[in-house]
Amino acid sequence: MKFYQDCDGITEAQGFYASGVPANIMGKNNGKLDLGIIYSPRPCTAAGTFTTNDVKASPVRYCMDLLNEQEQVFHGVVVNSGNANACTGKQGDLDCAKMASETARHLKVHSKEILVCSTGRIGVQMPMSRVTAGITEACQDTLDELDGGKAFQEAILTSDTRTKSCSAQIETSSGKVTIGGTVKGAGMIQPNMATMLAFLTTDAFASASFLKKCLDKAVNNSFNRMTIDGDMSTNDSVLILANGSTRVDIEKESVDTIAKFQEAVDQVCTCLARKCVTDGEKVTKFVELQLNGASNDQDADLVARCIANSLLVKTSWYGSDPNWGRIVDAAGYARVGLDFEKFDLWYNDVPAVEKGKPLPSNKHKWKEIVSAKSFVIKIHLNSGSGKAVLWSNDLSEEYVNYNKSE
């Protein structure tokens, strides 16, 4: 498998085109790209995973309904940033449908063949006159087959500081297959998924059910492994589209090749998820939590989440303070029956606690490790075979300053 970072992302796969334009959705007239299109002239199968929040934005419900229709094919996605179209009532539903129908009209496809995603501020009605004008321009750029992969990446950003993309390529018996991806997300990041939109494309052919199975597995091991601030959004969506441009039917390939395809989707999702965490709002540290030895995987995940979402733990990481006491405390209030006399903890490979006994002689090493921009905390509960991994980060005063008002 060949793997590429910071590339054109979704347009790396054959037969996909994209665009990004300034539609002035927030009314600031700052020229920011805020509306994008993904388009495939060939019909695509598709699959998606979405927020588990009870409050779902209009575009999320719209996509979920379309993807539940049997034998439905798609030609693209229209996406905007700056407005989530969430908690906007019946008008929000109408505006979402209008975004699909306007995009379909310009691309000369059926409105049901266009998926819709939005991200931005909640509870504000969409400025549809500006949105439809942006759709007209974005569709024209896409139909001109401009190389708009990077413009699309910029158009979906909100509080992100940079674009995030990658792609993977595998060899099959019938030729090469590419999976491209891009993501936005920097805050309100909490399993399951977050205020993030991720888009994957592949030039292989695959059924919708096959794509759904691949995507569910990849998302569970990537986007659902990250947490930035413990908040879950209303708009979280991950979509994958397959247009079969290479004529490679991945489901007819060997078992080994199918496994390689799954690995490639996993790697793309993992790369994009890690990019989200490292680009968290005003963060300075990337922390990987490895939790082992719980009674089961669910308990391991619960303990890891309690640690990663603890404000006391996150602020100590920001202060480069190896305060393992806060970690133990957070692990304990997960209430999974933790026995501290069995508890082991390491910063990278340097032990801090062994079977409940602190090792203060290593404190200078812990301090050096947590002063770095990236480090690993390993915990073993020694109570079973359950395990979990989470990716998280610190919490700075700049995060508070950034989020105290919109």
Side-chain angles (χ1 to χ4, degrees), residues 7 25 40 42 44-45 67 99 101 107 115 118 123 303 309 339 362 394 404:
C7 56
I25 288 174
S40 169
R42 292 177 59 88
C44 303
T45 53
L67 290 169
M99 288 178 67
S101 63
L107 297 180
L115 295 160
S118 298
V303 173
N309 289 329
D339 183 349
N362 289 333
D394 60 346
K404 63 187 179 185

Side-chain angles (χ1 to χ4, degrees), residues 124-144:
V124 178
Q125 296 292 342
M126 295 286 284
M128 288 305 294
S129 61
R130 298 198 291 269
V131 170
T132 54
I135 287 173
T136 300
E137 182 182 354
C139 285
Q140 186 57 58
D141 287 353
T142 305
L143 290 171
D144 288 343

